[in-house]
């Protein structure tokens, strides 16, 4: 990562001339957004329709013990009406969602705004009939099918708070979220086809619901028609109900600060926390970033490859694009099925203009060779984007040259579940790009780099440290569901007065930002967040495991892999079979993405005399960088380190 030596890629003249924001406009708008946030966001608030216009704009306190974040607080609106109804007159027959199924043999769907309206209203009426009303929680555990979008928007329409659980998560993870959010209904499907294989979603839900209150209802969408067991009274057939449900439904009037959704995400300690996003500010921010970052223009076909189970799917498949009246593509499958040309075939088939994906997918596809790309016509592409983790220069160059033909800007968007939308990214018509750099703050974002131990703000350039944000923006999370204290402790305690991102960053000599990765115990596996604490608690729940410690290590495709050190109960044999068993165990407890890549048997773990595991050391060993272990003098038993080094796992 060299500073100014990095090659830069300025926007093309055509892009700069036609983009919503060029360099001059960015400078002026950014300055205005910082000097007068109220004025700036008052104006941006007009992007969406309000049932009752707001008079207040920003009302925020970052003081520990008193953290409160409010935007547009006295305004009232409905998100579904903004994403659907307000477009009906002007673009009712325009495609809102293109749905591309798992198998290319099956037919794609083009769902117009009118159809989206009817389907969302049907789903909303069904939920109301099941007893869901304003403020109630609904869990969505669905494949990437249009019903996932209908379900989100139906909740928004009736004021219910949705919480999506990724279809790759286990019954245990699902049960924890149903119980954690005290949901009234779980919406699922019979099966989830992905990459040619069907996941038995309903069976997973059945298992999960054994651990939930028996008042929780289950609404089942037919996807494959696969066999499912049926619990009368609890289970409801969505397709049968939808056939008779009314296709209109009056949207609930919501306050700007009413919760829109909860999304569980991993942190450095404890179990995943429910990130709470609210209605008005979130929608303004999602809509604005979608339009400006991707330079979305009317008529463009936009594709974000994320799953709606992640925040990226919330803000940039559903809410942002639909608020803007866009055509958004929703893909059920995986990049490598039936083969490694699938992404590019979908781009060709639907003439995709903006394509947004994760570096891990690019690395995997790059490894398959260019022949999969070259047979596809990618001339419709105008802009490319990445999200989820830092992109390495090799993948960036491949993306730029082979996919983008050297003519498409790449927006490297840095943001988090907590931030609701992009916080840093180059803007395609305004900024020269540097491969691997998130470049510039979005409007209203005040990034600061702090010295990690003194919390002193590092001025000037270049500097490197902990990345915090000095002031609020409308898309910021408002709380942790049911635990405001945890919210304050996680994000506002370590660096008082700032929002602490958990990431490290560097500002180069030109003042451009580079994200250096997490500074806490969060591992980024294929762009997905995994708390080391979660994997560890799954491991120690196994009867043969006494203790476990988990760290990340560099992985060619996934970015980071999961490396576990496991101490067995006395008398247990460390066999290859047990290794397999533990791997399956963690997959079952959490889900396939948490599956340990490497498990090392550790007779002892390096601990301080107060019993704290020194992960720094374990990280170094996992990274094969044990020449630089640093100070080990505070260890209770320094000899365990030698054993761990000697028996470290081969990473290739
Ligand atoms: C949107 C999303 C957030 C964490 C974040 C950071 C990493 C995301 C990145 C990036 C470097 C980028 N991250 N985008 N790192 N460059 N463009 O990914 O949300 O799942 O909450 O993860 O992902 O470490 O803190 P989430």
């Amino acid at each position: 990562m060299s500073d100014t030596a990095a090659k830069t890629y300025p926007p093309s003249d055509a892009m700069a001339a036609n983009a919503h924001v060029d360099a001059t406009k960015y400078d002026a708008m950014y300055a205005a957004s910082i000097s007068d946030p109220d004025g700036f966001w008052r104006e941006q608030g007009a992007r969406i329709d309000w049932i009752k216009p707001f008079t207040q704009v920003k009302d925020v306190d970052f003081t520990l013990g008193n953290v409160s974040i409010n935007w547009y607080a006295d305004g009232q609106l409905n998100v579904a009406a903004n994403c659907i109804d307000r477009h009906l007159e002007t673009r009712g027959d325009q495609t809102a969602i293109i749905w591309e199924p798992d198998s290319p043999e099956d037919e794609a769907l083009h769902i117009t705004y009118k159809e989206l309206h009817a389907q969302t209203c049907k789903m909303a009426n069904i939920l109301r009939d099941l007893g869901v009303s304003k403020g109630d929680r609904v869990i969505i555990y669905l494949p990437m099918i249009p019903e996932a979008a209908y379900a989100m928007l139906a909740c928004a329409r009736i004021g219910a708070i949705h919480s999506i659980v990724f279809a790759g998560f286990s019954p245990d993870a699902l049960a924890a979220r149903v119980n954690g959010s005290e949901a009234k209904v779980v919406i699922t499907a019979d099966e989830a086809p992905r990459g040619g294989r069907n996941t038995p979603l309903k069976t997973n839900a059945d298992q999960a619901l054994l651990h939930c209150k028996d008042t929780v209802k289950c609404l089942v969408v037919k996807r494959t028609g696969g066999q499912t067991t049926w619990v009368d009274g609890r289970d409801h057939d969505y397709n049968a109900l939808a056939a008779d449900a009314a296709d209109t439904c009056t949207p609930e009037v919501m306050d700007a600060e009413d919760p829109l959704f909860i999304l569980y995400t991993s942190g450095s300690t404890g179990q995943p926390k429910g990130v709470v996003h609210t209605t008005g500010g979130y929608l303004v921010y999602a809509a604005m970033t979608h339009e400006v970052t991707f330079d979305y223009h009317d008529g463009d076909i936009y594709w974000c490859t994320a799953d709606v189970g992640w925040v990226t799917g919330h803000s940039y498949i559903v809410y942002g694009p639909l608020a803007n009246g866009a055509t958004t593509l929703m893909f059920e499958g995986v990049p490598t099925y039936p083969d490694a040309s699938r992404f590019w075939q979908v781009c060709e088939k639907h003439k995709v203009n903006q394509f947004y994906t994760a570096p891990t997918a690019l690395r995997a596809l790059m490894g398959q060779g260019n022949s999969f790309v070259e047979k596809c016509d990618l001339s419709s592409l105008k802009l490319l984007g990445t999200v989820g983790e830092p992109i390495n220069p090799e993948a960036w160059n491949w993306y730029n040259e082979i996919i983008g033909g050297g003519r498409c800007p790449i927006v490297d968007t840095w943001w988090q579940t907590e931030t609701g939308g992009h916080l840093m990214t180059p803007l395609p018509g305004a900024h020269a790009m540097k491969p691997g750099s998130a470049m510039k703050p979005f409007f209203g974002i005040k990034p600061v780099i702090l010295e990690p131990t003194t919390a002193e703000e590092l001025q000037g350039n270049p500097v490197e440290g902990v990345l915090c944000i000095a002031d609020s923006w409308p898309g910021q999370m408002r709380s942790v569901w049911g635990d405001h204290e945890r919210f304050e402790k996680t994000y506002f305690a370590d660096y008082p007065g700032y929002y602490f991102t958990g990431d490290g960053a560097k500002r180069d000599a030109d003042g451009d930002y580079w994200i250096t990765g997490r500074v806490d115990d969060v591992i980024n596996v294929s762009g997905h967040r995994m708390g080391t604490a979660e994997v560890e608690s799954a491991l120690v729940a196994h009867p043969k495991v006494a203790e476990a410690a988990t760290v990340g290590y560099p992985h060619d495709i996934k970015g980071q892999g999961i490396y576990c050190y496991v101490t067995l109960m006395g008398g247990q044999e460390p066999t290859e079979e047990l290794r397999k068993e533990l791997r399956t165990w963690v997959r079952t407890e959490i889900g396939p993405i948490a599956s340990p890549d490497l498990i090392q048997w550790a007779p002892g773990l390096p601990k301080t005399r107060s019993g704290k595991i020194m992960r720094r050391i374990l990280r170094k060993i996992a990274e094969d960088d044990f020449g630089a272990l640093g100070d080990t003098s505070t260890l209770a038993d320094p000899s365990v380190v030698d054993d761990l080094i000697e028996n470290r796992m081969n990473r290739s």
Side-chain angles (χ1 to χ4, degrees), residues 265 311-312 386-391 412-418 438 501 503 515 517-518 524 527-529:
T265 192
V311 72
T312 308
T386 70
V387 58
E389 51 177 322
I391 182 165
D412 179 347
T413 62
W414 171 80
W415 60 295
Q416 311 177 297
T417 305
E418 294 87 339
T501 66
D503 280 322
I515 306 300
R518 300 291 301 195
N524 192 328
H528 301 316
R529 279 163 69 162

Side-chain angles (χ1 to χ4, degrees), residues 437-651:
S437 169
M439 297 298 296
K440 302 283 185 198
F442 196 77
F443 303 119
I445 304 304
K446 268 164 75 175
V448 290
I449 295 189
L450 305 186
E451 206 288 321
T453 45
T454 63
E456 176 203 349
E457 215 175 297
L458 298 174
Q459 309 286 349
N461 301 323
V463 288
E464 182 167 353
V466 167
L467 178 61
C468 288
I469 310 294
D471 203 351
S472 184
W473 63 99
Q476 185 172 23
M477 77 183 279
R478 304 300 199 254
S479 193
V480 168
W481 182 254
D483 197 349
H484 195 70
E485 205 183 317
R486 187 170 175 201
F487 173 58
E488 297 207 3
K489 255 171 85 180
T490 309
Y491 303 104
F492 300 93
D494 292 354
Y495 301 98
Y498 301 102
Y499 165 75
F500 171 46
T501 66
D503 280 322
K506 152 173 172 153
R507 195 167 51 223
D508 70 17
D510 302 327
D512 299 324
Y513 289 87
W514 302 72
I515 306 300
T516 54
R518 300 291 301 195
V519 295
D520 55 11
D521 290 323
V522 171
I523 312 178
N524 192 328
V525 188
S526 302
H528 301 316
R529 279 163 69 162
M530 210 58 252
T532 53
E534 271 172 88
V535 181
E536 288 162 9
S537 71
L539 282 167
V540 297
H542 189 281
K544 293 182 184 163
V545 174
E547 243 192 328
T550 298
V551 295
Y553 72 98
H555 187 288
D556 282 351
I557 303 288
K558 300 181 183 182
Q560 279 191 297
I562 301 180
Y563 193 121
C564 304
Y565 298 86
V566 171
T567 309
L568 294 174
M569 292 286 192
Q572 295 299 335
E573 279 298 307
T575 60
E576 207 42 50
E577 220 175 3
L578 182 55
R579 239 193 213 118
K580 270 200 207 122
E581 187 180 321
L582 291 182
R583 223 171 258 139
T584 314
W585 175 267
V586 176
R587 288 171 74 94
T588 318
E589 291 269 311
I590 306 175
I593 57 162
S595 185
D597 294 281
L598 299 171
I599 297 178
Q600 174 173 354
W601 305 121
L605 293 171
K607 291 187 188 164
T608 60
R609 287 181 198 113
S610 62
K612 208 170 186 297
I613 295 173
M614 288 186 78
R615 287 163 193 290
R616 176 173 58 79
I617 293 175
L618 295 174
R619 227 178 269 133
K620 290 276 183 199
I621 297 173
E623 286 166 2
D624 242 351
D625 183 21
F626 43 84
L629 283 185
D631 182 17
T632 56
S633 62
T634 56
L635 285 178
D637 176 8
S639 73
V640 299
V641 174
D642 298 332
D643 179 275
L644 293 178
I645 292 177
E646 202 170 311
N647 296 301
R648 70 190 181 279
M649 304 296 291
N650 185 350
R651 296 203 268 110

